[in-house]
Amino acid sequence: MSTELFASRHIGITENDLPKMLDIVGSNSLEQLITETIPDDIRLNKQLPLDKAMSEHEFLLHTNSLAKRNKIFKTYIGLGYHESITPSVIKRNILENPGWYTAYTPYQAEIAQGRLEALLNFQTMVCDLTAMELANASLLDESTAAAEAMTMLFDVRSREQKKNQVACFFVSEEVLPQTIALLKTRSEPLGIKLVIGSHEEFDFSQDFFGALLQYPGKYGQIYDYQSFVSKAKEQNIKVAVAADILSLVLLTPPGEMGVDVVVGTTQRFGIPLGYGGPHAAFFATKEAFKRSIPGRIIGVTKDTNGDFALRMALQTREQHIKRDKATSNICTAQVLLAVMAGAYAVYHGPEGLKRIAKNIHTKTKVLSRSLEEIGFKLINDSFFDTIEVDLNNTSGLQRIAEGKNINFYYTDKGSVSLSINETTSEKDLLDIYSCFTELQNIEHPLNWNSDDLNVIPFALNRNSAFLENEVFNSYYSETELMRYLKKLERKDMALNHSMISLGSCTMKLNAATEMLPLSMAEWGNIHPFVPLDQAEGYQIVLKELEKDLNIITGFAGTSLQPNSGAQGEYSGLMTIRAFHRSKGEGHRNICLIPASAHGTNPASAVMAGMKVVVTKTDEKGNIDFKDLEEKVLIHAENLAALMVTYPSTHGVFESSIIRITSLIHEHGGMVYMDGANMNAQVGLTNPATIGADVCHLNLHKTFAIPHGGGGPGVGPICVVKELVPFLPGNPIIKTGGEDAISSISAAPWGSSLVCLISYGYIKMLGAHGLTRATEIAILNANYIKNRLNGSYDVLYTGEKGRAAHEMIIDCRPFKQKGIEVTDIAKRLMDYGFHAPTVSFPVAGTLMIEPTESESLAELDRFCDAMISIRKEIEAADTNLLNNPLKNAPHTLAMVTNDQWEFAYSREKAAYPLAYVRENKFWPSVRRVDDAYGDRNLICTCAPIEAYAEA
């Protein structure tokens, strides 16, 4: 084994392991197994034409070299993005810590209590600063959060408004341009009419169901919206506000004005700019809308003992339940970034945030007064951190500023806007000022006296307290915060403890070398709207990544803009929609979706203005071709697309896939392939070969971006030549195709920073390594399948009895013994494993995907655990006192308690197999009570008085 090759470090199976594994699988060679798994007519016949694989050392030298090609200017562009300071204790203990970034979405609450607490802190912070009743645990970015607010308010219109088809949504011209672009994308397919104009001239017509305001405005003006909100309420018009979260430390929060929704980004709370992302957006609203709020909410509940516990609340809102009735397709959140933003608030506390906000505001006042003294006119007379200066011509200032490595924002009306941020020092302020004195060709000192300037309207000064909870008033020293973060981390099971074998989620290794560039200032401190020549390093990486993804998928073009898999689905369908319209076939609106599809598929189709028609699956889990053909013929004239997951959601390479895609093309439709299972295709087949026209790729699955506890994700779309002209654009930086659809996310290239990870994954594996990774993923799945044979039935296999990269095991027969699939999931915690995917896509099953990065020893430990649990099921007693599955998970407090009322031993509870003793994970709570939490919805931390009372 050559240890120089990254593949030998990333792929867990060695050449020495193969004979044993192939013997268990019943195959003479790896090639024979692949041949029996993937249909011959879709196999690639040559190696992918990718660059030669780099070693890890070579890759780090390469990224360091590219980083130097980015120009780090002092940037004051603003527009929702501001340089911030990531405290080192947060950077080291969260961003760079696999205990945080390799965790999965907290569906198994008992082994995610630390992350859930961190997200509860985030929700509390958002509720406090916005003065709203309820907040979710983050969305993708400010612009998509604003779009979610619009669609939620459209959904919760009054019965009378729905009857009268009230569909107008007002957008203030003060709203950020990238947000307006995204609102245009989202509104049109749903039949929402956007009206953009001055909020001061709005007539409050009954044709409107909602309105969106920006606070402060895009160029810094602070408006008092209280009168607007009052008038809107009189006409039953609901109001959303996009707010700068740091400004709310000093400004009256929108919740105190009576608004219905507040959205924004928490990027200012210690998150790198990263050329656009990832950043955690926030979404806060009234409790009356709790059943309609998009995304995930963390709620307080109790466990079996009645003790405090946390879990994701109101999960019936998830798309796998609502499907085509869903009003949002939000799946991935920005959990890792929300955790960091929440930790930033914990570390600084209310007084620390006030100091930061006041320091920024004071420097802005100093600059504004000094500019007025030398003859410049400010367009905004009130502000927090952003001023707009009137200029006849901006070119002179731009030349001077860029000569000093400074970026401002030059508007299309001949003014300049600039935003002061947390990193702006007194020297920086002098440098900014010198640009203007040089333009005037005068010498004049900066006037540091700003005490007598009251630029925030008196009525809009914040008087209410915030962040009074104990957690925001306890961890101000690095020692204390480090220990607090470690305490939370210990409550979470992540990939650094053991395999996470979640089917369809591909929890593979996130290699340290892929992650290291994220910590470099040259990658972190680039604003998404800087001129392209300042982001040369980024442009090389992004273009190379697009090129490599084109090669891997067999397609002609790629957009990296979608910042989650669900956004990728939506983007792909919107390009198909645009294509049909360009051909004069805008009537094509039928989207065929198999019954086994991911729940985000039908939700995305509805959001794209399509009508969902569900097709059947046969007894083997494949698309029922006869039913598909019937529905294609019925809807041929209006057929827009088929959405298909390949290999199927049931973990099978359907042999009829080319026949299926050809049928769609024959009747004028296009084929969208969900890339969730691309992990089984790379190097062996591809979407173009199976006849797809567009696919999205989950870079946080196949291409190694960490899940981060539920995000970040990246969901780029790859398309055939005919769809390239429609790839999404951006209103500020030119990107996308010649006939680009409007924006899908706020930043031109979405979450650019984490694209470095996938870039590294591809460059270090190379063509051979990528193909080998796919082959080993398929081998590992079939190895587990055969090892579990006799203990569990696999629900679906291919025509030759093979699984793809994942399999579904049937747990429904165990109901006869009183054992549910949830009991198995919880008992696995006692064995040191996170459960596979529970009850998806078939209720009462487990979907297992081992990935290529696990070792044979780890696969065997997992199989041993599953076989041991199967024996426990056989011996199970319906009496809870004699049933370790029903009482799982077992906590340290249970096992060390003086009282032990169960018939089985403490050793059986805690150490069911010998290997567990070497690496024991203790769940911090017993089984959580979801129903109790939903009946008693609490989604913020208890106030400090509650701790005192306790």
Side-chain angles (χ1 to χ4, degrees):
M1 179 181 76
S2 172
T3 55
E4 289 295 306
L5 292 174
F6 173 70
S8 68
R9 302 298 195 182
H10 174 81
I11 298 172
I13 301 301
T14 69
E15 291 297 319
N16 293 334
D17 296 325
L18 290 179
K20 175 189 173 182
M21 296 182 73
L22 291 169
D23 181 56
I24 296 288
V25 166
S27 189
N28 294 323
S29 67
L30 192 52
E31 175 55 33
Q32 181 190 337
L33 173 63
I34 301 303
T35 300
E36 291 171 351
T37 304
I38 303 178
D40 289 340
D41 62 348
I42 61 167
R43 282 290 300 275
L44 298 180
N45 54 20
K46 59 182 179 181
Q47 186 170 281
L48 297 171
L50 296 168
D51 295 340
K52 181 185 175 185
M54 297 181 188
S55 70
E56 294 184 66
H57 179 64
E58 288 170 335
F59 176 73
L60 289 176
L61 292 175
H62 171 67
T63 50
N64 287 341
S65 172
L66 288 180
K68 290 179 173 60
R69 298 176 75 164
N70 291 326
K71 299 172 185 175
I72 306 297
F73 281 26
K74 293 301 293 187
T75 297
Y76 308 103
I77 292 173
L79 292 180
Y81 298 95
H82 306 266
E83 190 175 348
S84 66
I85 298 170
T86 307
S88 298
V89 62
I90 293 174
K91 183 177 181 180
R92 172 57 57 89
N93 290 287
I94 300 176
L95 179 63
E96 299 177 342
N97 183 351
W100 286 99
Y101 67 70
T102 69
Y104 181 60
T105 305
Y107 285 114
Q108 297 296 333
E110 295 83 0
I111 49 176
Q113 289 295 299
R115 199 165 355 113
L116 289 164
E117 182 174 330
L119 291 175
L120 192 73
N121 294 344
F122 175 85
Q123 290 178 181
T124 304
M125 171 191 85
V126 170
C127 287
D128 279 10
L129 288 170
T130 61
M132 297 301 286
E133 296 167 353
L134 186 67
N136 69 14
S138 82
L139 290 180
L140 302 174
D141 59 36
E142 178 171 329
S143 299
T144 52
E148 294 291 341
M150 174 184 70
T151 53
M152 187 190 84
L153 295 181
F154 185 59
D155 182 53
V156 300
R157 288 171 298 164
S158 70
R159 188 174 300 173
E160 184 179 350
Q161 286 175 322
K162 289 179 179 177
K163 179 183 175 183
N164 294 330
Q165 297 184 317
V166 175
C168 290
F169 187 74
F170 174 76
V171 182
S172 167
E173 59 195 9
E174 288 289 332
V175 169
L176 299 175
Q178 66 268 28
T179 298
I180 291 176
L182 211 144
L183 291 169
K184 289 177 180 177
T185 311
R186 292 283 194 92
S187 59
E188 192 268 336
L190 299 176
I192 298 172
K193 182 183 177 183
L194 283 192
V195 177
I196 302 166
S198 168
H199 72 271
E200 293 172 317
E201 298 172 7
F202 183 52
D203 64 3
F204 301 96
S205 156
Q206 292 185 359
D207 295 333
F208 289 84
F209 69 87
L212 177 68
L213 309 169
Q214 190 84 37
Y215 185 61
K218 62 184 175 182
Y219 300 139
Q221 180 71 27
I222 301 171
Y223 295 98
D224 187 341
Y225 291 126
Q226 299 193 57
S227 175
F228 183 99
V229 174
S230 297
K231 291 177 183 176
K233 282 188 178 301
E234 291 173 7
Q235 298 299 325
N236 199 17
I237 298 171
K238 293 182 172 60
V239 179
V241 170
D244 180 315
I245 196 165
L246 188 57
S247 76
L248 301 184
V249 171
L250 301 184
L251 302 183
T252 299
E256 292 178 13
M257 299 179 191
V259 308
D260 299 283
V261 187
V262 186
V263 300
T265 176
T266 58
Q267 182 266 315
R268 302 194 80 160
F269 280 24
I271 311 301
L273 286 166
Y275 204 37
H279 307 138
F282 65 85
F283 188 110
T285 188
K286 296 178 176 178
E287 197 159 321
F289 304 133
K290 66 186 178 185
R291 297 277 172 188
S292 300
I293 185 171
R296 296 160 177 155
I297 306 172
I298 307 310
V300 177
T301 188
K302 61 182 182 179
D303 70 1
T304 302
N305 284 354
D307 294 328
F308 174 92
L310 299 166
R311 91 295 180 227
M312 291 205 298
L314 303 176
Q315 289 187 53
T316 54
R317 292 164 13 273
E318 294 283 347
Q319 288 74 28
H320 63 269
I321 304 292
K322 284 194 170 183
R323 300 180 71 79
D324 60 324
K325 301 294 188 296
T327 55
S328 167
N329 69 343
I330 286 295
C331 184
T332 311
Q334 300 284 27
V335 170
L336 184 67
L337 297 314
V339 167
M340 289 176 66
Y344 180 94
V346 168
Y347 195 40
H348 289 296
E351 294 307 314
L353 292 183
K354 286 176 188 175
R355 279 194 300 273
I356 293 167
K358 286 177 180 176
N359 186 34
I360 291 171
H361 184 54
T362 297
K363 285 174 180 169
T364 313
K365 289 197 292 182
V366 165
L367 182 62
S368 70
R369 163 169 278 183
S370 299
L371 291 177
E372 287 181 317
E373 287 179 357
I374 60 173
F376 288 98
K377 178 186 175 185
L378 266 63
I379 294 175
N380 49 333
D381 55 11
S382 65
F383 52 81
F384 163 60
D385 65 354
T386 300
I387 55 175
E388 185 184 4
V389 184
D390 193 14
L391 297 174
N392 292 325
N393 189 326
T394 61
S395 60
L397 181 67
Q398 186 169 359
R399 176 182 51 79
I400 293 168
E402 290 184 0
K404 297 174 182 285
N405 290 351
I406 292 173
N407 289 319
F408 300 135
Y409 184 70
Y410 305 95
T411 75
D412 56 9
K413 57 182 181 176
S415 61
V416 61
S417 169
L418 59 99
S419 300
I420 304 304
N421 60 62
E422 182 188 6
T423 71
T424 307
S425 66
E426 292 186 359
K427 179 186 180 301
D428 293 332
L429 208 62
L430 286 165
D431 290 341
I432 294 170
Y433 183 57
S434 72
C435 296
F436 290 88
T437 56
E438 189 172 327
L439 182 66
Q440 296 284 66
N441 195 25
I442 61 172
E443 289 188 14
H444 191 282
L446 200 62
N447 185 345
W448 292 99
N449 180 24
S450 67
D451 294 343
D452 61 338
L453 292 183
N454 296 313
V455 296
I456 296 176
F458 179 77
L460 294 179
N461 279 288
R462 180 165 194 147
N463 297 310
S464 54
F466 57 91
L467 304 187
E468 293 185 292
N469 314 75
E470 185 179 44
V471 70
F472 299 110
N473 294 276
S474 302
Y475 305 109
Y476 296 160
S477 75
E478 179 171 338
T479 308
E480 288 300 312
L481 185 68
M482 176 181 67
R483 288 173 182 160
Y484 175 64
L485 294 176
K486 188 65 181 178
K487 181 179 81 169
L488 297 185
E489 183 193 341
R490 281 198 300 265
K491 296 179 180 181
D492 272 22
M493 183 180 286
L495 203 66
N496 63 343
H497 177 87
S498 58
M499 175 172 74
I500 300 178
S501 59
L502 284 148
S504 199
C505 289
T506 317
M507 297 290 293
K508 65 174 66 178
L509 172 72
N510 315 119
T513 299
E514 296 160 1
M515 298 293 293
L516 283 173
L518 273 62
S519 296
M520 296 175 61
E522 292 88 346
W523 296 114
N525 288 343
I526 306 286
H527 192 288
F529 300 145
V530 298
L532 292 183
D533 65 355
Q534 292 179 28
E536 188 180 337
Y538 259 119
Q539 287 299 311
I540 291 170
V541 166
L542 298 174
K543 285 174 183 172
E544 271 290 301
L545 180 56
E546 288 174 359
K547 179 184 71 111
D548 288 348
L549 294 177
N550 288 342
I551 291 170
I552 288 166
T553 59
F555 283 141
T558 291
S559 169
L560 296 168
Q561 193 178 117
N563 47 11
S564 82
Q567 296 296 87
E569 290 176 17
Y570 178 68
S571 308
L573 292 172
M574 289 295 283
T575 59
I576 290 174
R577 185 174 185 266
F579 170 79
H580 287 314
R581 290 188 157 200
S582 74
K583 299 294 184 184
E585 296 188 323
H587 59 275
R588 290 189 175 272
N589 69 339
I590 298 296
C591 186
L592 302 176
I593 302 180
S596 61
H598 291 90
T600 50
N601 285 184
S604 296
V606 170
M607 286 172 57
M610 296 182 182
K611 181 180 177 183
V612 173
V613 174
V614 178
T615 68
K616 297 177 183 176
T617 52
D618 63 23
E619 68 280 356
K620 294 183 178 178
N622 299 325
I623 291 173
D624 186 322
F625 188 83
K626 183 179 178 183
D627 182 65
L628 176 70
E629 189 172 37
E630 288 175 1
K631 285 171 179 168
V632 166
L633 293 174
I634 291 170
H635 299 289
E637 186 179 340
N638 296 313
L639 180 62
L642 166 73
M643 296 187 82
V644 61
T645 302
Y646 200 76
S648 74
T649 312
H650 293 143
V652 174
F653 283 94
E654 298 182 41
S655 59
S656 60
I657 188 63
I658 290 181
R659 189 175 166 213
I660 289 168
T661 57
S662 298
L663 174 69
I664 302 302
H665 291 147
E666 285 166 17
H667 293 87
M670 301 199 91
V671 177
Y672 166 91
M673 192 203 85
D674 186 312
N677 293 338
M678 193 67 194
N679 202 39
Q681 286 196 42
V682 178
L684 300 177
T685 184
N686 63 33
T689 301
I690 70 169
D693 300 288
V694 54
C695 73
H696 89 266
L697 301 173
N698 297 91
L699 298 193
H700 47 290
K701 293 182 182 181
T702 302
F703 296 94
I705 290 176
H707 285 64
V714 179
I717 54 169
C718 306
V719 299
V720 292
K721 182 179 179 182
E722 292 82 356
L723 293 178
V724 170
F726 308 104
L727 291 174
N730 181 273
I732 297 175
I733 301 291
K734 172 76 174 78
T735 186
E738 292 303 313
D739 297 306
I741 61 173
S742 192
S743 301
I744 294 298
S745 70
W749 287 274
S751 295
S752 301
L753 181 63
V754 288
C755 285
L756 284 160
I757 301 165
S758 298
Y759 176 77
Y761 176 82
I762 294 169
K763 292 303 181 190
M764 288 190 288
L765 279 176
H768 177 75
L770 287 166
T771 304
R772 190 64 164 181
T774 310
E775 292 171 340
I776 295 300
I778 292 171
L779 171 63
N780 287 354
N782 282 281
Y783 178 78
I784 288 178
K785 171 181 168 291
N786 282 35
R787 272 220 58 196
L788 297 184
N789 187 31
S791 296
Y792 300 90
D793 293 329
V794 172
L795 211 50
Y796 304 111
T797 58
E799 292 175 2
K800 296 182 180 177
R802 299 301 187 187
H805 63 310
E806 62 189 6
M807 82 219 72
I808 299 171
I809 61 171
D810 193 358
C811 302
R812 292 171 296 185
F814 308 142
K815 285 190 175 186
Q816 298 172 1
K817 301 282 292 184
I819 301 299
E820 303 288 341
V821 66
T822 302
D823 299 322
I824 299 172
K826 304 308 180 188
R827 182 58 170 152
L828 268 169
M829 298 174 190
D830 292 329
Y831 285 81
F833 284 105
H834 192 294
T837 305
V838 176
S839 290
F840 176 82
V842 180
T845 65
L846 290 174
M847 182 158 60
I848 302 169
E849 179 181 355
T851 85
E852 75 273 11
S853 54
E854 296 300 339
S855 68
L856 179 56
E858 186 72 353
L859 297 181
D860 281 333
R861 278 189 287 271
F862 176 76
C863 291
D864 291 344
M866 291 298 295
I867 292 167
S868 176
I869 287 173
R870 181 68 181 86
K871 291 174 181 174
E872 290 179 350
I873 294 170
E874 281 301 306
D877 193 322
T878 53
N879 180 353
L880 289 180
L881 294 180
N882 199 30
N883 196 323
L885 286 107
K886 287 294 184 183
N887 293 312
H890 298 81
T891 63
L892 181 62
M894 285 176 70
V895 175
T896 58
N897 197 295
D898 288 342
Q899 303 296 319
W900 182 258
E901 57 186 7
F902 307 111
Y904 53 92
S905 68
R906 298 173 195 256
E907 181 180 42
K908 184 173 182 59
Y911 303 109
L913 288 175
Y915 77 81
V916 181
R917 290 184 179 277
E918 299 174 13
N919 190 29
K920 177 65 181 174
F921 182 92
W922 291 102
S924 55
V925 297
R926 293 192 65 189
R927 198 174 301 194
V928 301
D929 188 333
D930 290 320
Y932 176 86
D934 284 347
R935 289 194 306 271
N936 303 274
L937 190 64
I938 300 171
C939 299
T940 57
C941 307
I944 200 164
E945 292 81 6
Y947 292 96
E949 289 168 9

